Amino acid sequence: MYYGGIEAGGTKFVCAVSDEHQQIIARTKFATTTPNETIIKINTFFSEYSVVRMAVGAFGPIGINPDSQDYGYVKETPKKGWQHFNFLGELKKIFHIPIVWTTDVNVATYGEYKMGAATNKSSALYLTVGTGIGGGLIYKNNVFQNWNHPEMGHIMVSPMHKDKYTGNCPYHKSCLEGMASGPALEARANQKALTIPKDDPLWNLEAFYLAQAAMTYTLLYAPEIIIFGGGVSNQEQLYPLIRKSFSKQLNHYVDTPKLNKYLVHAKLGDDAGITGALLLAQNK
Amino acid sequence: MYYGGIEAGGTKFVCAVSDEHQQIIARTKFATTTPNETIIKINTFFSEYSVVRMAVGAFGPIGINPDSQDYGYVKETPKKGWQHFNFLGELKKIFHIPIVWTTDVNVATYGEYKMGAATNKSSALYLTVGTGIGGGLIYKNNVFQNWNHPEMGHIMVSPMHKDKYTGNCPYHKSCLEGMASGPALEARANQKALTIPKDDPLWNLEAFYLAQAAMTYTLLYAPEIIIFGGGVSNQEQLYPLIRKSFSKQLNHYVDTPKLNKYLVHAKLGDDAGITGALLLAQNK
């Protein structure tokens, strides 16, 4: 029995097929170009396998409310050609099988929950911090979503004392993404994140915002674990700083799990998304 | 068949018994004094009815994680005598029936969801704004909680431009509760909230913070409706201001339900809590 997974990112697509033992038997990767070209590549790749179920984690925002006319669509996006594209509809024309449809960050969250940093937990939060900031939540062993998927990167934050940067989010200026995404960090540093010294005070600032976000998620969701993924999360010096700032900001208002097990780095790296997509396809 | 409900507030207790048609057949109210006196009053009231199930919504913070040693306890609270009181344990010594145990705000949320402002919805958020700020969420027809109940009042907020007030939360100073609870409003105004003129700019400020909180809840939970309860919520002039500020701050980043149906005043008033407790007792 074969299952299909698609991790549809704004930059690249990953498609894979797994068997019932969760082994990946085929896999491909290609740059995200136009919707038409993409659909053709997806079709070609999967045509060699008789897949019984499929899951797609798509870059967004996407329509995830089955009662809404935009269900299955990519919505407003700066990605050329993808605005208002009926992605799920086009896939359904090709594949006459059940297709799980959710966000790219939700499939990564599911991957980390099932096979990464959150195995054996019934709830988990995954936050990707890179060009943008986005997050997903597993609640009682399922992907959490109501009429919309969580938009964890766009919550407003209380600025750090003396932080003069005013934020770069085109919608909210100084929301979490506007203050703490990779580009925000680089705009402050006036250099690439990878070249910022590990002991630069900018990492304290970055940790402050990520810790405040983790505090908000803790107060509102109380997940068993908060996992950081994405490019910025690879800066290992951040974790002690995030934990320290989290503890200070939350000020012991609630008793959390131990912070070195609670605020952690992702385990699956770039494989979280496709892993989660395949597992969602198999489990649904 | 009779069901019991207890709304255990920091100021007053309400106990009631309902029949299977959701009719309240008996009800009492008394001031919150010591745990011992309270338990005796609860016992006396319910002794006349053979109740088959009960639900308690307690002021907190309370332990709601069944795997934790503090499950059923009132935790750190300024309320004298109630710190570390095994409330559920004491109730179980008297009543040998199933007891649903949750927060006061969760029972109020359930009441509004079942019989108030959110009937016919599968998700709803209820925020009480009074001496403190707290909130509950219904998700897929159930009370949302992980290892902790939501603590919606203590999320950090981005301060309004030129707001000089630095907040009064003993834990976080300028969190939502610190900036927008009744006492914060009164500290700014230097008078009781009820005497602040309806057109005072302070209501704009209050609306700004409540709108920002509603934006965070929208981005993280996407509930079908956000219901405001508690003393401050009775200021009807707030609603147009909250909706306007919400729209401005969210800046159309996600498509919400229509704001006059989305950001609304509670319907059950002071009865939300006991109504929800009785319904939870009946439905669980």
Side-chain angles (χ1 to χ4, degrees):
Chain A
M1 197 97 85
Y2 292 152
Y3 305 94
I6 301 177
E7 183 193 3
T11 314
K12 67 171 192 333
F13 268 63
V14 182
C15 300
V17 174
S18 66
D19 62 20
E20 64 269 47
H21 307 296
Q22 283 132 39
Q23 295 302 308
I24 293 179
I25 57 159
R27 169 178 187 140
T28 188
K29 186 166 97 171
F30 49 86
T32 308
T33 57
T34 64
N36 273 350
E37 281 180 20
T38 304
I39 291 290
I40 290 167
K41 284 181 186 164
I42 290 170
N43 193 5
T44 306
F45 173 73
F46 284 107
S47 64
E48 295 177 40
Y49 308 93
S50 70
V51 160
V52 295
R53 272 198 306 276
M54 185 178 271
V56 185
F59 73 95
I62 61 172
I64 56 111
N65 180 354
D67 298 333
S68 176
Q69 288 198 332
D70 64 10
Y71 179 69
Y73 281 67
V74 178
K75 302 208 281 188
E76 292 303 332
T77 167
K79 194 81 197 159
K80 222 181 139 191
W82 288 86
Q83 297 95 339
H84 312 297
F85 173 58
N86 185 358
F87 194 175
L88 181 61
E90 289 300 316
L91 291 174
K92 283 191 165 168
K93 283 186 195 165
I94 304 170
F95 305 106
H96 304 281
I97 55 174
I99 304 178
V100 179
W101 167 251
T102 190
T103 64
D104 50 356
V105 69
N106 275 343
V107 293
T109 305
Y110 200 76
E112 286 288 342
Y113 151 71
K114 275 288 194 185
M115 296 184 78
T119 48
N120 302 317
K121 306 217 182 292
S122 67
S123 63
L125 187 143
Y126 173 82
L127 191 76
T128 175
V129 186
T131 314
I133 298 182
L137 177 73
I138 302 298
Y139 174 66
K140 295 192 193 295
N141 302 301
N142 280 297
V143 172
F144 177 93
Q145 54 190 26
N146 267 313
W147 56 261
N148 196 26
H149 49 82
E151 281 285 0
M152 297 190 192
H154 291 271
I155 59 171
M156 297 307 294
V157 286
S158 173
M160 193 184 206
H161 184 57
K162 291 189 183 162
D163 183 7
K164 298 285 180 229
Y165 188 64
T166 55
N168 69 356
C169 170
Y171 288 90
H172 315 114
K173 216 158 160 63
S174 59
C175 64
L176 176 65
E177 182 170 301
M179 297 301 270
S181 65
L185 188 66
E186 294 178 345
R188 279 196 184 87
N190 205 19
Q191 58 183 301
K192 285 283 162 195
L194 286 173
T195 65
I196 303 172
K198 304 288 180 203
D199 58 353
D200 193 295
L202 268 179
W203 296 115
N204 277 312
L205 198 76
E206 181 69 16
F208 169 85
Y209 290 111
L210 297 180
Q212 188 180 124
M215 170 179 164
T216 297
Y217 308 146
T218 297
L219 293 170
L220 298 188
Y221 294 136
E224 287 164 75
I225 191 168
I226 295 179
I227 304 161
F228 295 91
V232 173
S233 80
N234 295 326
Q235 302 281 339
E236 291 291 341
Q237 74 278 13
L238 272 173
Y239 295 90
L241 302 176
I242 292 172
R243 291 176 194 131
K244 192 175 165 193
S245 181
F246 176 88
S247 179
K248 191 173 167 192
Q249 292 186 73
L250 183 59
N251 197 17
H252 309 286
Y253 183 70
V254 297
D255 297 322
T256 61
K258 284 203 171 178
L259 296 190
N260 61 350
K261 307 251 177 197
Y262 184 55
L263 304 173
V264 303
H265 193 185
K267 276 202 179 153
L268 301 182
D270 289 345
D271 275 349
I274 193 64
T275 303
L278 289 167
L279 289 166
L280 265 179
Q282 184 160 356
N283 294 354
K284 283 285 166 167
Chain B
M1 197 97 87
Y2 292 153
Y3 306 93
I6 301 177
E7 182 193 3
T11 315
K12 66 170 193 332
F13 268 63
V14 182
C15 300
V17 174
S18 67
D19 63 19
E20 65 268 48
H21 306 296
Q22 283 132 41
Q23 294 301 307
I24 292 180
I25 58 159
R27 169 178 187 141
T28 188
K29 186 166 97 171
F30 49 86
T32 308
T33 58
T34 65
N36 274 350
E37 281 181 18
T38 305
I39 290 290
I40 290 167
K41 283 181 186 165
I42 290 170
N43 194 4
T44 305
F45 173 74
F46 284 107
S47 64
E48 295 178 39
Y49 309 92
S50 69
V51 161
V52 295
R53 273 199 305 276
M54 186 178 270
V56 186
F59 73 95
I62 60 173
I64 57 110
N65 180 354
D67 299 331
S68 175
Q69 288 198 332
D70 64 10
Y71 180 69
Y73 281 67
V74 178
K75 303 207 280 187
E76 293 303 332
T77 167
K79 194 81 198 160
K80 222 182 141 190
W82 289 86
Q83 297 95 339
H84 313 297
F85 173 58
N86 185 358
F87 194 175
L88 181 61
E90 290 300 316
L91 291 174
K92 283 192 166 168
K93 283 188 195 163
I94 304 171
F95 305 106
H96 304 280
I97 54 174
I99 304 179
V100 179
W101 168 251
T102 189
T103 64
D104 49 357
V105 69
N106 275 344
V107 293
T109 305
Y110 200 75
E112 287 287 341
Y113 152 70
K114 275 287 196 186
M115 296 183 79
T119 49
N120 303 316
K121 305 218 182 293
S122 68
S123 63
L125 187 145
Y126 173 83
L127 192 77
T128 175
V129 187
T131 313
I133 298 182
L137 177 73
I138 302 299
Y139 174 66
K140 296 192 192 295
N141 302 302
N142 280 296
V143 172
F144 177 94
Q145 54 191 26
N146 268 313
W147 56 261
N148 196 28
H149 49 82
E151 283 284 0
M152 297 191 193
H154 290 271
I155 59 171
M156 297 306 294
V157 287
S158 173
M160 193 183 206
H161 184 56
K162 290 188 183 164
D163 184 6
K164 298 286 179 226
Y165 188 65
T166 55
N168 68 356
C169 171
Y171 288 90
H172 315 112
K173 218 158 159 64
S174 59
C175 65
L176 176 66
E177 182 170 300
M179 297 301 270
S181 64
L185 189 65
E186 294 178 346
R188 280 196 183 88
N190 204 19
Q191 58 182 302
K192 286 282 163 195
L194 287 173
T195 65
I196 302 171
K198 305 287 180 204
D199 59 353
D200 193 295
L202 270 178
W203 296 114
N204 277 312
L205 197 76
E206 180 69 16
F208 169 84
Y209 289 112
L210 297 181
Q212 189 180 124
M215 171 178 163
T216 296
Y217 308 145
T218 298
L219 292 170
L220 297 189
Y221 294 136
E224 287 164 75
I225 190 168
I226 295 179
I227 303 162
F228 295 91
V232 174
S233 79
N234 295 326
Q235 302 281 339
E236 290 292 340
Q237 74 277 12
L238 273 173
Y239 296 90
L241 301 176
I242 292 172
R243 291 176 195 132
K244 193 174 163 192
S245 181
F246 176 89
S247 180
K248 192 173 167 193
Q249 290 186 75
L250 183 60
N251 198 15
H252 308 286
Y253 184 69
V254 297
D255 298 322
T256 62
K258 285 202 170 178
L259 297 191
N260 61 348
K261 308 252 177 196
Y262 184 56
L263 305 172
V264 303
H265 192 186
K267 276 201 178 154
L268 301 182
D270 290 344
D271 276 349
I274 193 64
T275 303
L278 290 166
L279 290 166
L280 266 178
Q282 184 161 356
N283 293 354
K284 283 284 166 168

